[in-house]
Amino acid sequence: MADTPRWDTTTETVTTSSVSPGRGPAPGPAFALLGTVQISLLFALTALIVPLPRIGRAFSLDRADLILLSSAYGLSFSGLLLLGGRVADRFGGRRALTAGLLVFGAASLAALLAPGPGTLLAARFAQGVGAALAAPAAMSVLRALFPRPAAYGLAMATWGGLSMLGATAGHLLSGVVSAFASWRLTQAVPVAVAVLALALALGPRLLPVTQVGGPGRSLDLPGALLSTAGITLASYGLVLTDARPWGSTAVLVPLLGGAALLVMFLAAERRSHDPLLPLAFLHDRRRALALAAVGLTAAGTATTFILLSLHLQQERGWPALQTSAAFVPFAVALLVSGRTAGPLIARYGAPAVTTAGLTAAATGLALLALTGLTPHIPYAYGLLPGLLLLPAGAAASFAGAAVLATDGVEPRQTGLAGGVMNTAMELGPTVVLAALLALGSDPASLAATAAVLAAAAFLNTRTAQPST
């Protein structure tokens, strides 16, 4: 019997012995399709942030309404990701991906044509539902596409960078579109991607057949209801802290209610014979720290985009187009770092690259805290160094953490891994941003985020040793 290649995340070396190449779909075109879908899901998440003032004027919405509109996608997305991962593992990644793309594409079209704020809000919630099915399903298909651990590890290194690229593209392109055309055109991109992906995914040869959990596996509906309601309520309470005080009833009721439901979810999962989230999945020290790195890195980049976008437009008086242009070096550094992350992981190991990335990102945030928000310091000296160092480190951190978070995961749990990793990526910015608002100072918020990332880098050095 042929030996199976082994992917060692400490050194990222491959040992093989007489393994015959598998036959199936060509990985290049299939990976390009899955990567485009992943970019589109994150693009849609952030595409309405810059145009929010224009949407508010068009629909006569106040600040609270705009906050709900901007967070609607993320609320349903993060709340349903665990269930989406279970659906992918239960029914197969390819089927779940198709269903998710159908919902996502239809919802994006509804957002594009929305006649009023109610329709737009419902469409944003529905987009999150489709994305919660599609994102973990895409990772499940990815595992089937690269069955060898070494190839899958390299694919996941690239996958982490794609997630950040999608969110960054949403910020950049939405500003450009807002300057020259209607904000509605930002929703045309996910519609086009969904239609194209469905047309290609339904073909019999592009995407591989994925492993199905079998009829004996349940969807753990009680756990799904508790986790979805708990995450959504708690996230909603955190989002409201932007407009309401922490001690207000509007914040405390959803926040405490969500926390109570999540405690009930954990208790239910301990008793379940087939839990939605097997708690043992998080016992691996490397995986837990990798998920923390994913959430914190996402929080660091989201904090930077939001605070700097507001600073440049409100304090310096920059228009939306000039504000988007200021982040072009950010996108370039992200692309370059994401491109080199895979080879670096193969040479030095995922823990080392993750630690280096977290350290670089923390340094970039510290520079932005010191000089980036000072109006009299020119862009080239005040903002640019941090806007280059932060994305370079974040892309490396995301790539290494994506490898660590999925290392050793059984094929039948790939959807679960995708759901958990995307949940960390969604909840990180929500939790961290809500906590930072209490500081009341943008430089202090960036400095605090830098300190947290530096602490994560220190803790991550321990992942160089295999967990016991």
Side-chain angles (χ1 to χ4, degrees):
M1 184 174 180
D3 295 332
T4 302
R6 297 189 301 277
W7 177 264
D8 179 0
T9 55
T10 302
T11 60
E12 309 304 326
T13 59
V14 185
T15 59
T16 60
S17 176
S18 64
V19 180
S20 59
R23 295 182 178 180
F31 183 83
L33 171 64
L34 295 173
T36 302
V37 169
Q38 179 71 359
I39 290 174
S40 177
L41 298 180
L42 276 299
F43 173 93
L45 178 67
T46 60
L48 289 190
I49 292 179
V50 175
L52 274 180
R54 295 185 62 181
I55 296 173
R57 291 191 295 270
F59 291 138
S60 300
L61 301 178
D62 58 22
R63 180 179 175 85
D65 293 329
L66 289 176
I67 291 172
L68 180 58
L69 181 61
S70 65
S71 59
Y73 182 120
L75 288 175
S76 56
F77 187 23
S78 60
L80 289 168
L81 273 167
L82 291 180
L83 178 59
R86 170 53 66 92
V87 169
D89 290 337
R90 170 65 177 82
F91 297 103
R94 186 169 166 176
R95 291 178 181 175
L97 178 64
T98 301
L101 287 172
L102 282 170
V103 175
F104 179 71
S108 299
L109 181 60
L112 174 65
L113 303 175
T119 304
L120 180 58
L121 180 64
R124 291 292 287 171
F125 273 112
Q127 278 182 312
V129 174
L133 280 173
M139 285 186 59
S140 180
V141 177
L142 189 69
R143 180 62 179 269
L145 189 64
F146 298 99
R148 297 182 179 182
Y152 179 64
L154 287 173
M156 284 308 304
T158 304
W159 194 259
L162 292 178
S163 300
M164 292 196 63
L165 179 61
T168 303
H171 282 91
L172 292 178
L173 295 183
S174 64
V176 175
V177 170
S178 297
F180 296 106
S182 170
W183 60 268
R184 295 179 183 274
L185 290 182
T186 61
Q187 302 305 297
V189 173
V191 171
V193 170
V195 171
L196 176 63
L198 280 170
L200 295 175
L202 293 176
R205 296 184 178 181
L206 183 61
L207 298 182
V209 177
T210 54
Q211 182 172 332
V212 179
R217 298 203 70 193
S218 69
L219 288 178
D220 186 18
L221 292 180
L225 289 173
L226 288 171
S227 65
T228 299
I231 291 174
T232 303
L233 269 178
S235 299
Y236 179 66
L238 290 171
V239 167
L240 287 182
T241 59
D242 182 66
R244 308 283 180 86
W246 280 83
S248 66
T249 302
V251 171
L252 286 179
V253 170
L255 199 58
L256 295 179
L261 289 172
L262 290 176
V263 171
M264 294 170 62
F265 166 69
L266 293 176
E269 295 302 277
R270 290 183 181 276
R271 296 192 301 268
S272 176
H273 296 293
D274 192 13
L276 183 72
L277 175 60
L279 299 184
F281 184 80
L282 301 177
H283 287 172
D284 186 289
R285 184 184 67 222
R286 293 182 299 170
R287 181 171 295 126
L289 286 174
L291 292 171
V294 168
L296 291 173
T297 303
T301 54
T303 299
T304 300
F305 266 110
I306 292 174
L307 295 184
L308 291 187
S309 294
L310 291 174
H311 168 77
L312 292 176
Q313 294 183 75
Q314 296 178 353
E315 301 297 328
R316 301 196 184 189
W318 289 18
L321 182 60
Q322 188 178 2
T323 299
S324 292
F327 287 96
V328 169
F330 185 104
V332 173
L334 192 69
L335 286 169
V336 173
S337 180
R339 180 71 176 174
T340 59
L344 289 175
I345 290 173
R347 182 170 182 177
Y348 298 107
V353 172
T354 304
T355 300
L358 287 168
T359 303
T363 305
L365 282 168
L367 288 175
L368 290 173
L370 288 172
T371 62
L373 300 177
T374 304
H376 68 270
I377 299 180
Y379 171 85
Y381 304 107
L383 280 171
L384 187 58
L387 287 179
L388 290 174
L389 197 54
L390 170 59
S397 170
F398 239 97
V403 173
L404 291 170
T406 55
D407 178 50
V409 174
E410 299 179 14
R412 66 183 182 87
Q413 289 188 321
T414 308
L416 168 66
V420 172
M421 192 172 77
N422 280 280
T423 300
M425 184 168 58
E426 288 305 304
L427 289 182
T430 302
V431 174
V432 171
L433 280 172
L436 293 177
L437 288 174
L439 296 177
S441 166
D442 290 350
S445 296
L446 292 175
T449 309
V452 173
L453 284 175
F458 173 75
L459 291 175
N460 196 70
T461 58
R462 300 177 62 85
T463 66
Q465 299 299 323
S467 61
T468 56

